[in-house]
Amino acid sequence: MKVLINQQTHELDGYATLADAVAAIEARPPFAAAVNTQFVPRTQYAQHPLCDGDQVEIISPVTGG
C-alpha cells in the first residue's frame, strides 16, 4: 500500500501499522505521530493499522527562542 509520510509517498506492507511507518523513515525520539490529522498515542503505534492513501505526519519538537 502507498501512504504519505511527511508528504512523501512510501510503499508499505499491506498490513502495516503506524509503527511500520515510523520505522520506514527511521524517526528518532522525541516525536509525535498523527494519521489523517489525528494524533495517535505512542502506546498505540503498533496497534494502529494504516490504509492505502493514509497521511502520516511525524512531528519532532523544535527548540529555540
Side-chain angles (χ1 to χ4, degrees):
M1 87 173 97
K2 290 183 181 178
V3 297
L4 287 176
I5 305 173
N6 291 352
Q7 301 180 353
Q8 294 188 351
T9 302
H10 289 263
E11 186 77 32
L12 298 178
D13 181 59
Y15 298 100
T17 65
L18 180 55
D20 296 316
V22 169
I25 66 164
E26 299 177 354
R28 300 183 138 212
F31 60 84
V35 178
N36 300 326
T37 71
Q38 298 293 312
F39 280 100
V40 177
R42 182 177 307 272
T43 57
Q44 298 298 310
Y45 289 0
Q47 290 83 38
H48 191 96
L50 296 177
C51 297
D52 193 48
D54 275 350
Q55 296 182 25
V56 177
E57 295 293 332
I58 308 297
I59 303 160
S60 297
V62 176
T63 59

